[in-house]
Amino acid sequence: MSTHQHPPYPHPPLVVEVSGDFACFTRPELKSERFSYEVMTPSAARGILEAIFWKPEFDYVICRIEVLEPISWFSIRRNEVKSLISEDWVRRAMADATVRYDVEGDRDQRNTVALRKVAYRIYAQVQLKPHANEHEAKYREQFRRRVAKGACYSQPFLGTREFSARFGEPTIAKPIDECRDLGVMLHSIGYETSGETCRWFRAYLEDGVMQVPPNGLELPSAAPAKTRT
């Protein structure tokens, strides 16, 4: 869906390895029943890098993701609530003690199909924004030092916050020996005043490596989940 190639970059990519016992990179089109992509999405990879080191002066551009562990699945069924809480509801509940939330009436059982024992190697570039007043090298070195020390602003996670991620410097681990068509995958999500816009790309796994284009094709997102009023 997107044939855009990365421009030539003046520096080699930043590299970090992440792993975890479980992961769920939920397909946006299947929000009611969570079903993971087979491989980490670029959006999830960017979120992990930003949890390690982030500044408003730059963005991460994901170049490729290497899969270091065989793709393995598991499923769980849990009780969840159907609706999302709204700011207006919170304000009313704080001001009026009679406002209650009946979790029994809003409960639903949902199935999750997720990944077990995952490990990835992420390659990314730093793209400065127009208002940046520092050299790119400063941000790149700060990122490398934080990875070496295991420092992060917030705990990185693998798709959902309940599946924490470990991270560290790259090793000599080789990508899995597997090729497959991963289909249409979420590339990134744009947040505008008019709402969310999802960007997509056609993903392939070639010898355990998924190449990521710099941009995806924009399409309107699905309707948001029902909000509790």
Side-chain angles (χ1 to χ4, degrees):
M1 296 181 68
S2 175
T3 58
H4 297 292
Q5 301 297 316
H6 286 268
Y9 296 107
H11 305 288
L14 298 172
V15 187
V16 61
E17 282 190 14
V18 300
S19 61
D21 297 327
F22 307 105
C24 184
F25 309 107
T26 307
R27 293 176 177 271
E29 65 272 29
L30 300 175
K31 284 184 176 179
S32 59
E33 299 287 340
R34 295 192 182 92
F35 195 98
S36 177
Y37 286 106
E38 297 165 90
V39 173
M40 168 188 281
T41 64
S43 179
R46 191 175 301 105
I48 289 176
L49 301 187
E50 290 177 349
I52 297 171
F53 178 63
W54 178 84
K55 290 285 185 181
E57 287 81 9
F58 70 87
D59 287 322
Y60 290 108
V61 179
I62 307 300
C63 301
R64 73 175 187 268
I65 297 172
E66 295 178 351
V67 181
L68 306 179
E69 290 283 354
I71 298 172
S72 176
W73 299 91
F74 77 101
S75 64
I76 52 176
R77 194 166 185 83
R78 300 179 294 185
N79 290 327
E80 299 181 6
V81 295
K82 301 176 187 175
S83 60
L84 299 176
I85 195 168
S86 67
E87 294 182 8
D88 179 64
W89 188 93
V90 172
R91 281 194 291 268
R92 287 190 289 112
M94 293 175 67
D96 185 355
T98 64
V99 175
R100 300 289 185 181
Y101 171 55
D102 182 12
V103 66
E104 294 295 336
D106 197 33
R107 179 178 292 170
D108 196 10
Q109 279 203 331
R110 289 178 176 168
N111 195 51
T112 297
V113 180
L115 300 167
R116 184 195 305 273
K117 194 180 180 183
V118 299
Y120 305 100
R121 188 180 295 127
I122 303 169
Y123 293 77
Q125 290 284 348
V126 169
Q127 186 175 62
L128 296 179
K129 294 182 178 179
H131 66 274
N133 53 12
E134 299 285 354
H135 195 277
E136 178 184 334
K138 175 182 177 180
Y139 303 122
R140 296 171 62 87
E141 287 306 314
Q142 285 181 289
F143 178 86
R144 290 195 180 97
R145 287 198 297 268
R146 294 184 71 83
V147 170
K149 293 190 298 184
C152 56
Y153 289 140
S154 59
Q155 177 61 50
F157 57 89
L158 296 161
T160 63
R161 293 188 183 277
E162 61 203 286
F163 297 153
S164 298
R166 299 180 289 271
F167 67 93
E169 296 178 303
T171 68
I172 60 172
K174 294 183 178 179
I176 60 174
D177 183 18
E178 186 168 338
C179 301
R180 65 171 74 179
D181 183 352
L182 301 173
V184 178
M185 177 178 283
L186 177 68
H187 181 280
S188 56
I189 301 176
Y191 298 96
E192 310 293 343
T193 54
S194 57
E196 296 179 357
T197 300
C198 294
R199 304 184 182 95
W200 310 85
F201 75 110
R202 188 63 185 262
Y204 298 93
L205 192 66
E206 296 180 354
D207 297 325
V209 180
M210 182 178 74
Q211 301 291 344
V212 180
N215 301 296
L217 181 65
E218 292 189 359
L219 293 171
S221 63
K226 179 183 176 183
T227 301
R228 191 181 311 149
T229 57

